[in-house]
Every structure is written in C-alpha cells, then in structure tokens.
Amino acid sequence: MMMSEKNARRIKAWMTLNGVRQADIAKEMGLSRTMIQRFITGHSTSTRVYEYFINLGCPREYFVGRTEARRAA
C-alpha cells in the first residue's frame, strides 16, 4: 500500500526538526539512501527501517496504513 504524501511530508518534517538525515540512517543501517527515501515515500516496505524510525521517536501515526505498522500492532 502506498503511503500518503501527507505522511511522507510529516516524516520528512519530523526528521528535519530532529536533525535526522537519510544519509545517516542509511549508513548506520548499511542500506542505500535511495532505500530510505523509498521507504519514507511508501514505495518500499521494511519492518527493520520502520522499527528504526519508531525507536528514534518518530510518531507511529505517521505510518498509519503501512504494512509494517499493521504487523507491529
């Protein structure tokens, strides 16, 4: 399921406010920056990346409707 553009914008805004960069997440997780971007926009799914964002403090409601969020519930 494609994530809404609104939620992708919310995640990006949260990242900016908290000084979280896609490149840093990608490096720490051993993934490409493109993978992180695709996850944020809902073009790819990853329970691992979802849990990483949640552990950083990103609000769960930003992931409503996502496969990862349903699995974790």
Side-chain angles (χ1 to χ4, degrees), residues 38-51:
R38 290 180 54 77
F39 172 80
I40 291 169
T41 59
H43 289 94
S44 67
T45 62
S46 172
T47 301
R48 186 172 157 233
V49 177
Y50 167 74
E51 289 173 354

Side-chain angles (χ1 to χ4, degrees), residues 31-67:
L31 300 170
S32 70
R33 190 189 153 288
T34 301
M35 170 56 192
I36 302 304
Q37 176 63 27
R38 290 180 54 77
F39 172 80
I40 291 169
T41 59
H43 289 94
S44 67
T45 62
S46 172
T47 301
R48 186 172 157 233
V49 177
Y50 167 74
E51 289 173 354
Y52 186 92
F53 272 89
I54 297 305
N55 288 333
L56 283 178
C58 191
R60 290 183 189 274
E61 60 265 21
Y62 294 2
F63 300 95
V64 169
R66 295 278 303 249
T67 303

